[in-house]
């Protein structure tokens, strides 16, 4: 218990402000940051941001679809998130006859709102430190295996205690700081979520993959949903009898906008960061993982695009798949460039040298060297594991052979056929034969070429099933266990390394890595300079959309109605997007961006390309989050969707 209390003291007593606006802070402990937030402009209290006993801003935020964030903007369950977060659901409702991706969708009354089977949203009910409960019964004489069994048992007991299916309550326990601390999260999950509105993709995805991760940005990246519940306000499966959910809290919308220097904060669910890892982990990302995955995805995207450009039906079928592949592909390019430009590997190595010198004579002596040795063993195995995921596991013909729930509606065989040859060839060329199943080696010799092998696999479902199972079995029986064992050993050392870093730098505030749970990041509206003699202002406008408009380029072909509105005059300075210094990552997509009064001024949807290395290292000079200005969302609802009846249920500050 003394050790637990010591760790807690190190984590939360030393809360002095970090450089600039780095950090993703736990809402339940935001009192540790509130003085700094208020000094930078916040006009709310810690209790306004997070409270268990009465409504607070946390009650207006949801984890949307398991990977994004959304926010409630009315007392009738109306929810905003990003267009790209709702994209797959919009796509499922689309057809050539009703192309909601191309034309947009607007429900003009509740009866027209579209159900989305499988889509859920989760409200955070409470979070609390349960480190003592998770480690209850731990003894110094325990082996690590015994300790792991104990921890799993205690976590399961805590989870069961808080779970209540009748009320939609689900619980999870997450390790923070590599197992130095544990937090319990209790959520209420709603299962009836309906599509209310979405702009045409020429607005919601304006700029496409060309502008993705770039600034200046002019994307109206939003979609609108509504949460439904049973007549008692409890979560329920879809039913025509369900009613709009009445949340404990919804956001007030500000139409004042933002100016450079204004305080903002992002309240959402960042997905995953690795801010405290060893230099070898960063070197692997920079020199091996990112370059190889970029090359593989370039090939996949080129194949998809070739067929999508030829046929509108194929474009609809593969639009969501293409966007999913392209998003990480573009991000990794910026990440690799940022890591190299900022010399993050070298900076980590210098830090490790200082740490190692300090650690002499302590229990942390030699720790960074042991981590380097483990990474040397981990690297070839994990590289093979990633290659499986990026090549053979992406082939739909093989997935089809082993899945009972394959989606044939969104399948086009010529794409998959060409993918088979390209991905199997890349897989074969990149990996040593020791990382391939015996059946692969046998069939490769039997068919002589990937084209011949492809013809056999696509002609014979048994052939496809046999290959799919051999590849899956090899991963599950060989690679996955090795990766898991090595990761466990690495993470065990990280637990000590994390403690060591805190003792090495007692004056520094350490925020936990992101894990798709609710966090607060704060900063200010700010431009940036990506290179010499270049400065980007922090707000984009409708004028920039018109400047990019090009009917001959799919990414920049805006709706004619938008051209007409602009030509009529009066909207040249309509704000579209803005930049700020908030520390965000994947999962923050759709997060509310709030002003000093806690009013909704934007929706977070991206980061600048030059700063995407912020998952590994945050550079205050270059890392910026990109948000949709809420005024452009309102403009689009009214002028493009003619659905401004929705404003009647929203609360406006001005």
């Amino acid at each position: 218990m003394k050790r637990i209390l010591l760790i807690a003291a190190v984590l939360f007593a030393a809360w002095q402000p970090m450089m600039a606006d780095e950090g993703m802070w736990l809402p339940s402990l935001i009192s540790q940051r509130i003085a700094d937030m208020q000094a930078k402009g916040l006009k709310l209290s810690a209790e306004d941001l997070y409270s268990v006993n009465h409504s607070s801003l946390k009650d207006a935020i949801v984890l949307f679809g398991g990977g994004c964030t959304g926010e409630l903007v009315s007392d009738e369950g109306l929810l905003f998130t990003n267009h790209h977060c709702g994209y797959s659901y919009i796509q499922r409702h689309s057809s050539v006859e009703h192309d909601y991706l191309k034309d947009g969708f607007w429900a003009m009354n509740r009866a027209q709102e579209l159900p989305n089977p499988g889509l859920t949203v989760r409200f955070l009910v409470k979070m609390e430190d349960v480190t003592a409960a998770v480690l209850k019964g731990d003894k110094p004489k325990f082996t690590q295996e015994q300790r792991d069994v104990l921890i799993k048992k205690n976590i399961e007991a805590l989870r069961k205690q808080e779970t209540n299916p009748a009320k939609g309550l689900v619980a999870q326990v997450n390790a923070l700081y590599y197992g130095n601390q544990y937090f319990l999260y209790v959520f209420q999950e709603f299962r009836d979520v309906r599509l209310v509105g979405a702009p045409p993709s020429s607005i919601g995805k304006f700029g496409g993959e060309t502008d993705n991760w770039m600034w200046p940005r002019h994307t109206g990246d939003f979609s609108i949903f509504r949460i439904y519940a049973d007549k008692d306000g409890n979560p329920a499966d879809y039913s025509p009898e369900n009613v709009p959910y009445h949340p404990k809290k919804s956001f007030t919308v500000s139409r004042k906008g933002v100016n450079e220097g204004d305080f903002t904060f992002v309240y959402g669910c960042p997905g995953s960061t690795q801010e405290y890892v060893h230099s070898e982990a960063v070197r692997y990302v920079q020199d091996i993982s990112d370059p190889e995955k970029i090359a593989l995805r370039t090939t996949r995207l080129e194949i998809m695009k070739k067929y999508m450009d030829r046929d509108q039906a194929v474009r609809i079928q593969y639009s969501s798949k293409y966007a999913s592949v392209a998003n990480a592909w573009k991000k990794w390019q910026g990440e690799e460039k940022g890591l190299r430009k900022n010399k993050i590997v070298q900076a980590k190595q210098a830090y490790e040298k200082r740490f190692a010198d300090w650690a002499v004579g302590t229990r942390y002596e030699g720790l960074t060297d042991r981590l380097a040795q483990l990474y040397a063993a981990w690297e070839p195995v994990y590289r093979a594991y990633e290659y499986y995921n990026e090549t053979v596991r992406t082939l739909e013909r093989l997935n089809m052979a082993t899945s009972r729930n394959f989606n044939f509606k969104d399948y086009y065989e010529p794409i998959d056929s060409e993918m088979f040859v390209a991905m199997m060839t890349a897989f074969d060329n990149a990996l040593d034969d020791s990382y391939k199943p015996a059946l692969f080696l046998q069939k490769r010799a039997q068919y002589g070429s990937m084209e011949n092998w492809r013809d056999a696999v696509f002609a014979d479902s048994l052939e496809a099933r046999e290959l799919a199972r051999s590849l899956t079995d090899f991963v599950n029986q060989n690679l996955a266990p090795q990766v898991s064992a090595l990761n466990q050993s690495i993470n065990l050392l990280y637990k000590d390394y994390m403690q060591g870093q805190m003792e090495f730098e007692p004056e520094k505030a350490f925020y936990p890595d992101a894990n798709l749970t609710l966090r607060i990041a704060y900063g200010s509206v700010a431009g940036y300079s990506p290179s010499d003699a270049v400065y980007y202002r922090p707000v984009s406008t409708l004028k920039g959309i018109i400047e990019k408009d090009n009917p001959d380029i799919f990414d920049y072909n805006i709706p004619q109605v938008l051209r007409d509105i602009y030509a009529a005059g009066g909207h040249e300075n309509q704000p579209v997007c803005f930049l700020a210094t908030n520390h965000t990552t994947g999962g923050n997509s759709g997060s509310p961006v709030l002003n000093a009064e806690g009013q909704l001024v934007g929706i977070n949807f991206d980061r600048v390309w030059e700063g995407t290395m912020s998952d590994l290292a945050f550079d205050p000079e270059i890392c910026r989050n990109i948000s949709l200005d809420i005024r452009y969302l309102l403009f689009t609802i009214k002028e493009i969707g003619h659905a401004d009846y929705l404003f009647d249920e929203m609360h406006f500050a001005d």
Side-chain angles (χ1 to χ4, degrees):
M1 184 58 68
K2 287 181 179 179
R3 183 175 67 84
I4 294 168
L5 294 175
L6 175 62
I7 293 168
V10 172
L11 294 177
F12 304 119
W15 63 269
Q16 290 90 341
M18 300 185 72
M19 183 187 300
D21 299 303
E22 178 179 0
M24 301 174 176
W25 307 100
L26 298 174
S28 63
L29 298 168
I30 201 60
S31 59
Q32 306 290 341
R33 305 296 307 176
I34 201 69
D36 188 51
M37 294 179 73
Q38 291 171 340
K40 292 181 176 179
L42 179 68
K43 296 179 181 178
L44 303 177
S45 68
E47 191 79 355
D48 292 327
L49 302 184
Y50 178 92
S51 176
V52 175
N53 299 319
H54 49 77
S55 66
S56 59
L57 293 187
K58 79 163 175 68
D59 298 310
I61 303 164
V62 297
L63 177 65
F64 180 89
C68 284
T69 305
E71 53 274 353
L72 276 292
V73 293
S74 86
D75 297 331
E76 296 291 316
L78 196 67
L79 178 154
F80 291 164
T81 189
N82 286 157
H83 186 269
H84 75 260
C85 293
Y87 196 76
S88 63
Y89 303 101
I90 302 166
Q91 186 263 341
R92 290 174 199 175
H93 290 296
S94 295
S95 63
V96 173
E97 293 76 23
H98 300 286
D99 190 349
Y100 298 139
L101 290 176
K102 177 177 178 291
D103 302 324
F105 169 80
W106 306 96
M108 290 304 168
N109 54 58
R110 303 278 170 88
Q112 293 180 1
E113 295 174 359
L114 301 176
N116 299 279
L119 175 58
T120 63
V121 297
R122 286 185 172 188
F123 290 89
L124 177 66
V125 177
K126 68 175 182 178
M127 58 183 294
E128 61 184 66
D129 187 338
V130 292
T131 308
V134 169
L135 299 180
K136 185 179 180 181
D138 187 16
K139 298 178 181 179
K141 67 178 182 179
F142 276 4
T143 64
Q144 189 57 44
E145 289 74 17
Q146 290 173 313
R147 188 166 290 111
D148 289 343
V149 170
L150 173 72
I151 288 172
K152 288 179 181 178
K153 178 182 176 182
N154 289 341
I155 286 176
E156 184 60 19
L158 287 167
R159 194 190 66 78
K160 284 185 177 180
Q161 180 180 322
E162 298 287 349
T163 298
N164 185 338
K167 293 188 176 182
L169 296 179
V170 293
Q172 66 189 51
V173 176
N174 288 42
L176 304 182
Y177 303 104
Y178 294 96
N180 281 297
Q181 191 177 29
Y182 292 86
F183 259 76
L184 168 72
Y185 299 86
V186 180
F187 305 93
Q188 188 172 38
E189 183 175 87
F190 287 80
R191 305 183 299 276
D192 186 355
V193 185
R194 306 182 194 179
L195 178 64
V196 175
S201 290
S202 51
I203 289 177
K205 277 180 63 66
F206 179 78
E209 297 313 319
T210 307
D211 280 5
N212 193 15
W213 303 101
M214 308 299 285
W215 186 260
R217 200 70 179 272
H218 299 87
T219 309
D221 196 347
F222 76 93
S223 55
I224 309 173
F225 291 79
R226 191 184 304 278
I227 305 170
Y228 281 77
D230 67 19
K231 59 182 177 60
D232 298 318
N234 293 317
D237 291 329
Y238 168 78
S239 168
E241 305 302 316
N242 287 346
V243 297
Y245 172 65
H246 300 296
K248 296 177 183 177
K249 184 80 173 178
S250 61
F251 285 112
T252 297
V253 176
S254 172
R255 292 176 287 198
K256 282 186 178 179
V258 296
N259 296 301
E260 189 156 14
D262 285 356
F263 176 86
T264 63
F265 65 106
V266 173
Y267 208 157
C269 305
S272 178
T273 57
Q274 295 178 293
E275 302 290 343
Y276 308 108
V277 293
H278 191 275
S279 59
E280 282 299 288
V282 180
R283 183 194 57 77
Y284 173 77
V285 170
Q286 173 188 284
D287 294 344
I288 298 173
S289 181
D290 279 359
E292 291 188 339
K293 290 187 294 188
I294 290 165
L296 290 168
R297 292 201 175 196
T298 298
T299 300
R300 291 170 62 194
L301 290 168
E302 288 173 349
I303 292 171
M304 281 191 278
K305 188 174 187 303
K306 178 173 67 176
Y307 292 94
M308 291 169 69
D309 287 346
R310 295 174 182 173
D311 190 314
Q312 183 184 6
V314 176
R315 178 184 59 77
I316 294 172
Q317 285 178 307
Y318 276 77
S319 57
S320 182
K321 297 175 188 177
Y322 186 94
S324 178
V325 172
N327 189 53
W329 166 80
K330 186 75 170 284
K331 183 254 188 181
W332 291 329
Q333 294 175 58
E335 180 177 70
E336 179 192 349
K337 180 180 178 181
L339 291 173
R340 294 187 189 280
K341 180 179 179 181
N342 288 271
K343 300 181 178 179
I344 302 302
V345 173
Q346 294 89 329
K348 289 270 187 183
Q349 290 170 340
Y351 175 86
E352 288 153 13
K353 175 64 168 61
R354 296 195 304 273
F355 178 90
D357 292 342
W358 166 85
V360 173
T362 73
R363 70 188 188 91
Y364 306 114
E365 184 172 358
L367 183 56
T368 54
D369 288 340
R370 294 198 298 276
L371 274 168
Q373 291 165 5
L374 274 174
Y375 272 114
W378 170 90
E379 183 175 299
V381 181
Y382 193 72
R383 176 178 177 264
Y385 185 77
E386 284 201 306
Y387 242 93
Y388 267 83
N389 288 335
E390 288 291 326
T391 56
V392 296
R393 282 187 159 183
T394 69
L395 299 174
E396 293 180 287
R397 182 67 182 93
L398 301 186
N399 295 331
M400 182 193 312
T402 56
S403 172
R404 295 180 179 179
N405 301 310
F406 186 81
N407 182 3
F408 287 94
K409 174 180 177 288
D410 295 329
Y411 179 70
Y412 187 64
E413 186 173 297
I415 289 179
D416 199 28
S417 175
E418 191 168 336
M419 287 276 199
F420 184 94
V421 174
M423 291 299 100
M424 289 283 279
T425 300
F427 170 82
D428 194 26
N429 290 341
L431 298 184
D432 184 82
D433 283 354
S434 62
Y435 288 115
K436 301 163 190 170
L439 181 74
F440 182 96
L441 303 178
Q442 173 194 330
K443 295 289 185 179
R444 184 183 65 185
Q446 175 184 339
Y447 288 108
S449 73
M450 287 300 171
E451 288 78 8
N452 291 340
W453 196 355
R454 181 265 317 276
D455 294 343
V457 166
F458 278 75
D460 187 342
S461 59
L462 182 61
E463 187 85 18
R465 191 177 307 116
E466 187 179 29
L467 175 59
R469 286 179 176 171
S470 72
L471 293 166
T472 299
D473 288 347
F474 189 86
V475 171
N476 293 342
Q477 296 169 16
N478 294 276
L479 288 182
Q482 291 184 67
V483 169
S484 178
L486 286 163
N487 280 340
Q488 187 175 23
S489 297
I490 289 170
N491 287 334
L492 194 58
L493 281 187
Y494 272 135
K495 183 179 180 181
D496 290 339
Y497 189 37
M498 195 78 245
Q499 291 182 42
Q501 290 182 70
M502 291 171 177
E503 293 179 29
F504 176 50
E505 297 184 288
E507 76 290 347
K508 178 180 176 180
F510 287 82
Y511 57 90
D513 275 324
N515 60 359
L516 207 59
T517 58
L518 210 56
R519 302 289 181 89
I520 295 173
Y522 60 94
S524 59
V525 177
Y528 74 108
S529 178
S531 58
D532 182 48
V534 175
Y535 179 77
Y536 284 131
R537 291 182 293 180
V539 178
S540 64
T541 67
L542 185 58
K543 180 182 178 182
I545 294 178
I546 299 302
E547 289 173 347
K548 291 180 178 178
D549 179 30
N550 187 334
D552 296 327
I553 301 176
F554 181 79
D555 285 349
Y556 298 115
N557 183 15
I558 64 174
Q560 182 59 43
V561 63
L562 195 56
R563 298 186 184 105
D564 295 341
I565 291 170
Y566 186 85
H571 294 287
E572 295 85 354
N573 296 317
Q574 167 66 51
V576 176
C577 299
F578 64 90
L579 296 173
T581 61
N582 303 298
H583 191 178
T584 62
T585 187
N588 274 126
S589 291
S591 296
V593 184
L594 308 166
N595 63 14
E597 289 80 20
Q599 298 160 351
L600 187 66
V601 294
I603 302 177
N604 181 80
F605 71 92
D606 210 349
R607 288 172 284 168
V608 299
W609 193 58
E610 299 88 352
T612 51
M613 80 288 184
S614 61
D615 289 349
L616 294 159
F618 186 89
D619 178 357
E621 298 299 320
I622 209 76
C623 291
R624 298 289 183 270
N625 66 304
I626 305 176
S627 300
L628 169 68
D629 193 303
I630 203 68
R631 292 170 294 176
Y632 187 53
L633 179 152
L634 299 173
F635 168 88
T636 304
I637 289 175
K638 180 180 179 180
E639 303 294 342
I640 306 299
H642 306 295
D644 44 325
Y645 77 93
L646 293 171
F647 298 167
D648 295 340
E649 64 181 281
M650 296 165 60
H651 304 289
F652 294 96
D654 34 60

